[in-house]
Each structure stands twice: as structure tokens, then as C-alpha cells.
Amino acid sequence: MSLRFLIASASLTVTVAGYLVFATAVPAASLEGKRPNIVFILTDDQGYGDLSVHGNPVLKTPHLDDLHAQSLRFTDWHNSPTCAPTRSALLTGRHEFRNGITHTILERERLTPDARTLAEVMKGAGYRTGIFGKWHLGDEPDHRPDRRGFDETFIHGAGGIGQTYPGSCGDAPGNTYFNPAILHNGQFEKTKGYCTDVFFTQATRWIEGQRQSGTPFLCWIATNAPHGPYVAKPEDAALYRDKTPSEDVANFFGMIHNIDQNVGQLRQRLSDWGLANNTLVIFMNDNGGTAGTKVFNAGMRGTKGTPWLGGTRAIAFWSWPGTLAPADCHALTAHLDFFPTLAALAGVHPTSEVTAQVEGRSLLPLLEKPDAPWAERTLVTHVGRWPFRADPETSKYQNCAVRRGSYTLVSAGKPASPTAPSWQLFDVETDPAQERNLAREKPEVVQELAGATTPGGSPSDPR
């Protein structure tokens, strides 16, 4: 029996099969209800290839490489192709279009008030919750994170520091990466220092307060770096100025160097405080790569804002010393799985409302055993971002992809007809560069995957 849902915004409807409700997707696991502290670090526009441990020939990330060595690593993890959509899916466990997120601007980045967030359910389970850095799911007071389950909020506005767009998306006027004005629990504060340092410093102080209280916590650190404009600390950009093709790339890598340093310092502090063995640290990037792909893209095709593998594949390191054994997990996993996994770790007993909302799967079986059985699934990607006030139906098949097993079906660019996409088919396990189109060789696979975008879905998807 297939599980189908509508991805809807305005008049756009795409029926997708294969997302499983987490209450029935997996049996209870021994990690369930362990209630660790959780530190989630989400970078902005860093790509899968922007780590030295992933083969980057220029960038050096020793602290993230160390985290990789001590983590369970999801090697086939996928997020949305852009910023706000990924954040909404992580926080709700369901596809971004069902959250009303079809863009990053134009008032289409605001998370629907109807969604229950991960922060809300964690708070309901006795966790303290804090967010530091980027929110990007609505800047009006009724959309801010303090209204969505976060006890402590320390955020910039819009999608990036200093950005302002018509409608709801705007940061403090004239804000910059150095000494930014930050909205702290509803009041603007002028800070001192580089933005990433400011966010990690504030998060670390907050964690220390939770340590003293003994309350489990969810600490959400979402850097605006290395998103453009590419502004690094001068000493960090200088490390790469003679090794990269442009000043932008030097600053981009310098920004990641700074993130790397901050991650190392935070993990050291957790160790010093005796929290390391009871804290799950998760490191992830939000979408495909940007400036760094000019140097290295891990052999993939595409970047942020595309439906290609290089637009969605993400870093996903999960480190919990003494509990999770370092290993690679090759299962097809995604942002939709984040909510149900953390909720299960926290011992959340989901309401019928939350169970109906969540379309991802709990990862607990894979966290315990990376090669555990994992039923085949279908994941659908859509870049969205159709023009302002345009009919969404005209963009239904523009820049979208369907993934099942090793096959990915792609409709790139604008099709000749809104109802007749020019599908291309690739085996991304053997061809991550997506160079060999198999559509003519395997029409039956094209038909099957294309069925996931039509009413009725695919009958082969398990529930």
C-alpha cells in the first residue's frame, strides 16, 4: 500500500509516494528515549565537497575531519536545493511545500503556523531549546522561533546578515558580518566580533547554563557562513588567497576555516565540562555547494539551486561518543528523517497530529546498526522558486527530480511544455557526475519513477 501526499502551494499540486510516517516505519529501538543533549550545527551553502576529509585538495578542515572520524556518517543524505526549504523540512519532518515554503524570499519563506516543530515537541518532552544564528522561516513576530518552540533565540533576520527583500524577509538595516546587530529574545543587541564567532560564543554560554541546571537541551547553531556575500576574517581569507581562483573563493574557504575552528572549540568545551558522552553532536550543510565547487565538487554534477546530485547531497555527521560507533551508512536518508529521529531519542510520544504530519523515518535502527535493513523509498526534489505571482502549474516540472534506489529521474531547466517534462535518468551510484542518460535504455524505470509525480503514486512503495 502506498502512502501519498500532496505537495501544495497556491495551485501547484504534485503527488509523491514513499514517505513513511515515523510511528509505523520502524520498530522501537534501544536508543529510543535515551534523552541525550543535542547540538545541531547547520552551515549555509557549504557543499559536500567543502571538507578536506571528502577530498578537497585545497581546503583544510582538521576539526571537522576529526568529527568525521568519530561520527556515524550518512553518505547518501539529501536536503532541499536551497536554504529555507531545508530548514522547514528539518523542523517538521515533512516536505517543504506542505509547509508553505516554495522560495527563500517573496513572502514564500514563512513556515505555516499549522506545523508542529521539532523544538515544540522537544520542549514538551522537558528539553530546553535554543537557536543561534540563521532562522529564515519568517521575520514577523508571529513567525519567529520564540513562537515556534525555542526558549532562547539569538538570530539575524532574512536569509543572510544584511539582506532585505520585499515582504517579510529583512535583517537589521545596514547589518554586517562584523559586529552584527542580533535579535536576542526579541530585543536587538549590538555584538562585537565576527558573526560566526558571535553565534558560537553565545551558544556555548547558553549550553553552560543548561549544564548547571542539569536539564537536557537542544542547541541549534545555524551559521549564515559561508553564504554570500563572501566576507571572511582577513587572516582566514589570507590562508587561501594564493590557492584559489578568486577572492570570493578565498573568503568562502576562509569562512569555513572559521567554522572549523569554532566546532573544534565547542567540542573541546563539551569534553571539559564532562558533557561529551551524553551529547549528540550533528553537523550538516543545508544544500548543495556554491563558491567552493569551482575548486572541488566531490565528482558530482550541479550546485545549490539545482535538482542534480550536487544540489541536494549533504554532509551528515552524527557523533555521540560511547554510544554511536563511527562508521559509514549508505542508506538513502534525508532531512525528513531528522525530526522523527530526534523526537524518538527524546522519548517523545507523538500526538495523532504530529504522526500525521511527519513523512520521514526514524533513523534509530541505522544509528544502532548502519547496515540494518532499510526499505526502499522514493524522495522527490523540487527547486520551486517560480516567478513572483506566476502560475505555479507552469513550473510543476521545472527543476525537479525523483530518487529511488540508485536511480534518479531529473527534469532540469524549463521543459518545452509544463505538462510534458523531458526526463533524464541516471544511476547515481555508478555515475555521480550524471553524465550518462539512461532514459532510452530503461523506459520502464522512467515510467515507474515518473509515476511518483502523478495522482495515484507508485504502488510499489512500502508503508
Side-chain angles (χ1 to χ4, degrees):
M1 178 179 181
S2 65
L3 176 66
R4 303 186 298 273
F5 66 89
L6 289 178
I7 296 175
S9 176
S11 63
L12 173 70
T13 59
V14 182
T15 303
V16 182
Y19 293 123
L20 304 187
V21 177
F22 80 101
T24 59
V26 296
S30 62
L31 288 176
E32 189 166 357
K34 287 291 188 181
R35 296 175 64 79
N37 304 313
I38 298 166
V39 175
F40 176 52
I41 303 166
L42 182 67
T43 62
D44 194 1
D45 283 5
Q46 179 179 8
Y48 186 87
D50 294 323
L51 291 174
S52 47
V53 74
H54 283 172
N56 194 294
V58 174
L59 180 63
K60 302 302 178 187
T61 51
H63 297 290
L64 291 172
D65 293 356
D66 182 69
L67 179 63
H68 169 277
Q70 299 182 41
S71 294
L72 190 148
R73 307 165 293 265
F74 292 99
T75 63
D76 202 8
W77 182 281
H78 294 269
N79 286 334
S80 304
T82 58
C83 311
T86 287
R87 284 161 172 75
S88 78
L90 290 168
L91 276 168
T92 66
R94 70 180 178 186
H95 195 281
E96 53 264 25
F97 281 19
R98 292 197 62 176
N99 293 323
I101 310 294
T102 60
H103 210 310
T104 58
I105 55 173
L106 302 176
E107 302 184 28
R108 285 158 53 187
E109 80 291 346
R110 298 176 297 179
L111 180 64
T112 174
D114 297 333
R116 289 293 306 278
T117 72
L118 176 65
E120 289 176 298
V121 300
M122 298 286 281
K123 185 175 179 177
Y127 273 67
R128 293 285 292 174
T129 56
I131 181 170
F132 307 87
K134 178 169 175 170
W135 169 241
H136 203 187
L137 293 173
D139 291 330
E140 300 94 339
D142 61 341
H143 281 79
R144 292 173 187 164
D146 60 295
R147 300 289 293 272
R148 309 313 301 262
F150 285 99
D151 299 307
E152 178 80 5
T153 64
F154 188 83
I155 61 170
H156 66 78
I161 289 178
Q163 292 184 354
T164 298
Y165 293 95
S168 63
C169 201
D171 192 25
N175 226 9
T176 64
Y177 283 26
F178 290 90
N179 308 323
I182 300 298
L183 190 65
H184 185 194
N185 294 333
Q187 299 294 322
F188 278 103
E189 295 181 3
K190 185 68 170 176
T191 64
K192 293 184 178 181
Y194 183 68
C195 53
T196 304
D197 297 333
V198 167
F199 295 138
F200 272 90
T201 296
Q202 190 71 20
T204 302
R205 289 172 181 162
W206 183 78
I207 290 172
E208 184 174 16
Q210 309 320 303
R211 173 182 73 94
Q212 293 170 351
S213 72
T215 306
F217 59 83
L218 168 65
C219 179
W220 186 292
I221 306 172
T223 66
N224 61 291
H227 191 288
Y230 303 122
V231 181
K233 296 164 75 171
E235 62 270 29
D236 294 339
L239 297 172
Y240 296 101
R241 185 158 288 118
D242 297 330
K243 303 176 182 178
T244 52
S246 70
E247 187 69 10
D248 276 352
V249 179
N251 274 274
F252 182 84
F253 282 177
M255 295 162 86
I256 296 175
H257 168 81
N258 177 257
I259 292 169
D260 182 76
Q261 296 293 304
N262 275 288
V263 170
Q265 292 168 14
L266 176 56
R267 293 183 67 219
Q268 183 60 55
R269 191 65 61 88
L270 293 173
S271 180
D272 293 343
W273 285 335
L275 292 177
N277 287 351
N278 193 36
T279 301
L280 170 62
V281 175
I282 305 169
F283 182 86
M284 192 179 297
N285 59 308
D286 64 347
N287 47 240
T290 52
T293 60
K294 296 179 177 64
V295 173
F296 182 71
N297 200 24
M300 299 181 296
R301 180 175 181 175
T303 61
K304 172 185 176 177
T306 75
W308 302 107
L309 190 65
T312 65
R313 188 182 181 195
I315 303 159
F317 299 161
W318 297 54
S319 175
W320 186 356
T323 299
L324 301 184
D328 286 338
C329 177
H330 304 298
L332 180 58
T333 47
H335 50 14
L336 302 176
D337 305 329
F338 189 78
F339 180 119
T341 303
L342 297 196
L345 286 172
V348 170
H349 299 289
T351 63
S352 58
E353 174 191 12
V354 171
T355 299
Q357 170 182 296
V358 173
E359 297 157 347
R361 303 178 181 182
S362 171
L363 300 168
L364 295 194
L366 298 178
L367 291 175
E368 293 184 336
K369 187 180 180 183
D371 60 352
W374 190 249
E376 187 174 72
R377 71 191 312 187
T378 302
L379 297 176
V380 173
T381 291
H382 199 299
V383 176
R385 302 169 78 89
W386 50 85
F388 184 55
R389 293 183 177 174
D391 180 0
E393 289 291 329
T394 63
S395 299
K396 179 181 289 189
Y397 294 108
Q398 181 173 315
N399 288 322
C400 63
V402 184
R403 171 76 185 273
R404 182 181 300 157
S406 65
Y407 289 113
T408 297
L409 191 66
V410 179
S411 175
K414 188 174 183 178
S417 167
T419 60
S422 299
W423 292 120
Q424 300 179 66
L425 180 68
F426 304 92
D427 184 334
V428 294
E429 287 187 6
T430 60
D431 179 24
Q434 294 175 284
E435 294 176 331
R436 184 184 177 195
N437 182 4
L438 302 174
R440 290 187 178 180
E441 297 177 37
K442 298 183 178 293
E444 72 285 357
V445 178
V446 173
Q447 182 178 9
E448 181 182 4
L449 293 184
T453 68
T454 58
S458 169
S460 64
D461 289 329
R463 179 168 184 168

